[in-house]
Amino acid sequence: QALLRRLSVFQGGFTYESAVAVVAGDPIDEFDVIELLPSLVDKSLVVADEGGRATRYRLLETIRQFARDLFEDTAEADLVRLAHALHFEELSRAAGVHIRGPDEADWWARIDDELDNLRLAMTWAIEHDRGELALSIATGFWRFWWFKGRWAEGATWLDQALDATGDEVGDLLLAEGLLAYGSLLEFTSAGFDLAPAEALEKSIAMYRRLHAEGTAVEDLRHGFSAALINLSVLRQIEGDLETTRQLNEEALAVSRELDDPAGVTVALGNLAESAMDRGDFEEARHLHEEAIEVSEALGSNQRLVDTWGQLAAMELTAGRPGAAADAAEKSLRYAEKSGLEHSAAYVATMFALHRVLAGGDDTDAIAAGLERVGQQRTFLQATYYLIDLLGARVVADVANGDLRRAAKAIGAFDELLPDEGGPNGSLLPYLCLLYT
């Protein structure tokens, strides 16, 4: 009975390892869990789902609600809920280390499995004046939200966790939280008080100071360069190409010093784009190839999606459509292999667009890619992606003789631009095609 009551603390199921970590404690020890959990399954009070990567257990909702009502009346309830939150903090922090690399797919799947428990842990921490615990959980796995295109959800949790921390939060955790918050706000800033650039600038200032003070490398490795890189994206959108280059050069130096290969590959790709802006395609190609090499050594399919995709865009701009198509095909393969459906849909659309702009007749493929993207509603919240996709829409509509619909797409593009201007260069090839 005590075990069943305690198991009601889980939301969305649990593994045996999580059960031991959370519910074991006087009067239940680990051996009791080993013996009693199968007994609860035999009595149909707990369901064992064995079809996934590992056996997961869950209580039927009516039983869970009944057990939880009993559990809330016990003196141990807050202790078990704290154990639950601490366990999923540990999981989240481990995910932050492994979420880019050879085991990234397993960690994405694991976070997917435990997302309800992570949400519950953050909710409990926020409601019980443990803001730092909530922030630690949220910052640990923030890249999961980013990779999966769930930017609004992630930004909302970071917003709540930062509000709950008060003035006592440690500088390192605050720097991590501002990095995560600002990065997610880049794609979904509506409805939030803090601007993404402001959050990232504050994070960078804190990381620079922590670095100067000799903070341990492992504490800075997964955040410092990311803050620099993500601010550089905003500066590029604003057209400040010199600051963009400087931020990425600093990020590359920091990444190499801190042994952060993920940061190295992103900074290299961004510096390649800076070289391309200067018209130095040979330097750009060299940097892209180095970024691909580092990504392969890292074993990150997610990074290979981006690095091959960046090379494809550069080759198209350089007037090498064949090389662009080869690189785009590799990017698409890694996106599909990684289960990044929104990236796969986007790359497939851009891949078809490359062929059309090179003189091919792949407008049906563009339409199919756009349909795939349309199924990823969260992904479409990102203005940066939607601008390119509207351009693809223009190409398909012009090719099919529907100039009125093409004009609507151009009007929608104009609505997305900020008042001070924005990344309108990406639509130039489509406008040229329209007028010719």
Side-chain angles (χ1 to χ4, degrees):
Q1 291 176 6
L3 177 60
L4 185 64
R5 288 197 303 269
R6 292 182 184 185
L7 290 175
S8 70
V9 75
F10 291 102
Q11 180 79 37
F14 54 92
T15 63
Y16 164 75
E17 290 77 14
S18 291
V20 170
V22 173
V23 306
D26 187 46
I28 303 169
D29 61 26
E30 180 177 349
F31 297 104
D32 290 325
V33 177
I34 294 173
E35 178 183 356
L36 295 175
L37 188 55
S39 176
L40 291 174
V41 173
D42 291 340
K43 294 178 174 61
S44 299
L45 294 171
V46 172
V47 177
D49 296 321
E50 299 178 345
R53 296 176 303 108
T55 300
R56 288 186 64 79
Y57 300 90
R58 59 185 172 84
L59 279 66
L60 295 175
E61 190 56 27
T62 52
I63 295 173
R64 178 178 176 273
Q65 297 243 4
F66 173 74
R68 187 180 61 185
D69 289 343
L70 296 175
F71 176 65
E72 295 294 350
D73 293 333
T74 66
E76 65 186 2
D78 279 346
L79 290 176
V80 176
R81 290 199 182 281
L82 176 59
H84 176 274
L86 292 172
H87 172 69
F88 285 100
E89 178 196 24
E90 183 179 348
L91 174 72
S92 173
R93 304 303 295 185
V97 174
H98 298 289
I99 208 162
R100 289 183 297 186
D103 301 323
E104 62 189 25
D106 288 339
W107 279 97
W108 294 345
R110 192 169 180 185
I111 292 298
D112 246 338
D113 288 344
E114 302 294 3
L115 201 50
D116 285 339
N117 280 309
L118 289 160
R119 291 169 177 147
L120 183 64
M122 290 185 290
T123 298
W124 181 87
I126 290 169
E127 291 177 350
H128 288 77
D129 297 324
R130 293 180 178 270
E132 285 200 40
L133 177 55
L135 186 60
S136 180
I137 296 170
T139 57
F141 75 105
W142 75 266
R143 285 184 173 88
F144 169 85
W145 283 310
W146 198 95
F147 293 148
K148 294 292 186 176
R150 302 177 185 179
W151 304 294
E153 179 186 359
T156 299
W157 281 112
L158 265 300
D159 186 56
Q160 294 176 5
L162 284 165
D163 281 347
T165 55
D167 299 327
E168 303 302 320
V169 61
D171 286 349
L172 179 61
L173 180 56
L174 183 56
E176 293 174 348
L178 290 168
L179 159 64
Y181 190 37
S183 301
L184 293 165
L185 285 177
E186 286 188 22
F187 294 91
T188 176
S189 58
F192 296 93
D193 294 334
L194 194 62
E198 182 183 356
L200 291 169
E201 286 168 349
K202 288 180 178 180
S203 177
I204 289 169
M206 298 183 76
Y207 272 120
R208 283 175 175 154
R209 179 169 55 78
L210 290 166
H211 187 216
E213 293 172 353
T215 301
V217 166
E218 57 268 24
D219 291 331
L220 301 175
R221 179 176 293 136
H222 301 287
F224 190 1
S225 65
L228 293 162
I229 289 166
N230 292 349
L231 181 61
S232 81
V233 173
L234 293 174
R235 296 298 176 243
Q236 183 181 34
I237 294 298
E238 294 166 356
D240 188 350
L241 301 184
E242 178 58 23
T243 300
T244 299
R245 181 188 61 78
Q246 292 173 359
L247 286 166
N248 280 290
E249 285 181 346
E250 182 180 359
L252 181 59
V254 166
S255 297
R256 284 176 167 157
E257 178 186 349
L258 301 179
D259 190 23
D260 176 11
V264 169
T265 179
V266 179
L268 285 170
N270 291 346
L271 287 170
E273 292 185 351
S274 293
M276 187 176 70
D277 290 336
R278 300 192 303 271
D280 191 344
F281 292 106
E282 286 306 310
E283 175 66 8
R285 187 173 292 109
H286 168 74
L287 291 168
H288 279 311
E289 289 171 351
E290 185 179 354
I292 290 169
E293 183 180 342
V294 175
S295 298
E296 289 174 341
L298 176 61
S300 170
N301 288 334
Q302 183 274 330
R303 288 303 316 135
L304 286 164
V305 171
D306 284 353
T307 51
W308 280 110
Q310 285 180 308
L311 179 59
M314 188 223 73
E315 295 290 19
L316 186 68
T317 305
R320 289 162 43 103
D326 289 343
E329 191 169 16
K330 289 184 174 67
S331 178
L332 176 60
R333 186 171 70 244
Y334 282 115
E336 292 175 336
K337 182 178 179 180
S338 303
L340 295 172
E341 176 55 31
H342 59 279
S343 293
Y346 175 76
V347 172
T349 307
M350 293 299 103
F351 184 19
L353 177 62
H354 290 176
R355 292 197 296 264
V356 170
L357 293 177
D361 183 20
D362 282 33
T363 54
D364 288 344
I366 290 179
L370 288 169
E371 183 177 353
R372 289 178 67 188
V373 174
Q375 297 168 2
Q376 309 296 313
R377 294 187 179 182
T378 306
F379 180 73
L380 287 177
Q381 293 176 0
T383 300
Y384 310 147
Y385 294 112
L386 188 53
I387 285 171
D388 281 338
L389 294 166
L390 284 170
R393 179 76 269 165
V394 171
V395 170
D397 291 338
V398 170
N400 291 325
D402 192 345
L403 300 186
R404 183 178 297 276
R405 185 169 174 176
K408 288 181 178 179
I410 292 174
F413 170 86
D414 185 62
E415 288 296 319
L416 288 171
L417 292 179
D419 293 339
E420 65 273 16
N424 53 0
S426 62
L427 196 63
L428 185 59
Y430 319 131
L431 293 175
C432 292
L433 182 63
L434 178 63
Y435 284 114
T436 56

